[in-house]
Amino acid sequence: PLHLVMRSSRARGPLSLLHSAHRKRVNHLVHELAQQFGIRLYQYANAGNHLHLLVLAKDKKSLQSFLRLLTGRIALAVTGARKGRPGGKFWDALAYSRIVAWGRAFLHARKYVLQNELEASGEIPYQPRKQPRRRGSRNQSSRPTRRK
């Protein structure tokens, strides 16, 4: 399985993915395109300015097609861009993706996506996340001193 995150800094106010004018359309596109491309959708969260998806794709080509069409159609739906009336860049970057192992890691990822969904809907208050420490990174105090 994969944990995917698609983020847009422009998705605020009337361009929010959770705005009443867009929420149902975004939800429909995620489910419709997942089915069209044979993507198993385990968990999905619309957080307003970003989407979380926990998916399993049958192959790389179907995943690429799903992401390309999903991001394009959501951007068109939200910005109202049409031929001759471009909407500009909507997504901040390519989709973030992380391979998730089955078992405990999968359950943790599913819980994380569900937490985002509940926070976005206002059912639970936002809970700040701890920033994970990157492998191999050390803080300044633990670096060895250089001799001159």
Side-chain angles (χ1 to χ4, degrees), residues 16 29 43 57 67 80-81 87 104:
S16 170
L29 283 169
Q43 199 76 40
L67 286 173
R104 195 182 291 182

Side-chain angles (χ1 to χ4, degrees), residues 91-122:
W91 299 104
D92 291 350
L94 296 175
Y96 164 83
S97 62
R98 184 177 140 249
I99 296 173
V100 179
W102 290 109
R104 195 182 291 182
F106 177 78
L107 294 175
H108 179 74
R110 195 167 191 165
K111 180 181 172 187
Y112 178 77
V113 174
L114 178 61
Q115 180 181 352
N116 271 267
E117 185 179 354
L118 295 173
E119 288 172 349
S121 68

Side-chain angles (χ1 to χ4, degrees), residues 40-73:
R40 173 89 189 262
L41 187 61
Y42 290 103
Q43 199 76 40
Y44 154 71
N46 179 345
N49 69 338
H50 64 284
L51 300 174
H52 286 271
L53 290 88
L54 189 56
V55 302
L56 182 63
K58 59 184 177 184
D59 56 45
K60 183 178 176 179
K61 186 173 169 58
S62 62
L63 178 65
Q64 289 173 330
S65 298
F66 168 72
L67 286 173
R68 186 180 64 250
L69 227 58
L70 179 65
T71 55
R73 288 200 182 162

